[in-house]
Amino acid sequence: GVEIVRQDIAGDPTTEGIADAVHSLAVDTDGIIVQLPLPGELDTEAILAAIPNDKDVDAINPRIPLSCLICSFEPRAPESSIM
């Protein structure tokens, strides 16, 4: 099976606070998905850039060049995409 860890951000979330949560999750998980869209006051690109390349399940980190995705992206859970 697949274990899912959901991190809810309480109170008044900030870009830095969510990026910190992403970094914390990266230590203990195999992959990270940020639910979009984010509220307009948050810097979506900065939050997505906080996802480590090897944990970016959706491959939406703006720091990953498209050429890298085409040549070397390996999904974290390939079995999950088989229908």
Side-chain angles (χ1 to χ4, degrees):
V2 176
E3 179 182 356
I4 305 228
V5 177
R6 178 178 165 156
Q7 178 73 48
D8 292 317
I9 309 295
D12 201 15
T14 64
T15 297
E16 295 77 19
I18 295 173
D20 288 345
V22 167
H23 289 295
S24 294
L25 286 169
V27 173
D28 298 323
T29 61
D30 292 326
I32 296 175
I33 298 172
V34 173
Q35 182 65 50
L36 299 176
L38 295 173
E41 65 273 9
L42 298 173
D43 184 345
T44 298
E45 189 166 315
I47 291 168
L48 296 177
I51 303 171
N53 294 352
D54 64 333
K55 307 261 177 136
D56 188 358
V57 175
D58 291 327
I60 57 175
N61 182 327
R63 295 178 299 141
I64 302 174
L66 182 58
S67 60
C68 289
L69 292 176
I70 293 169
C71 300
S72 64
F73 181 72
E74 184 176 329
R76 299 298 296 173
E79 299 85 15
S80 67
S81 61
I82 298 173
M83 300 279 194

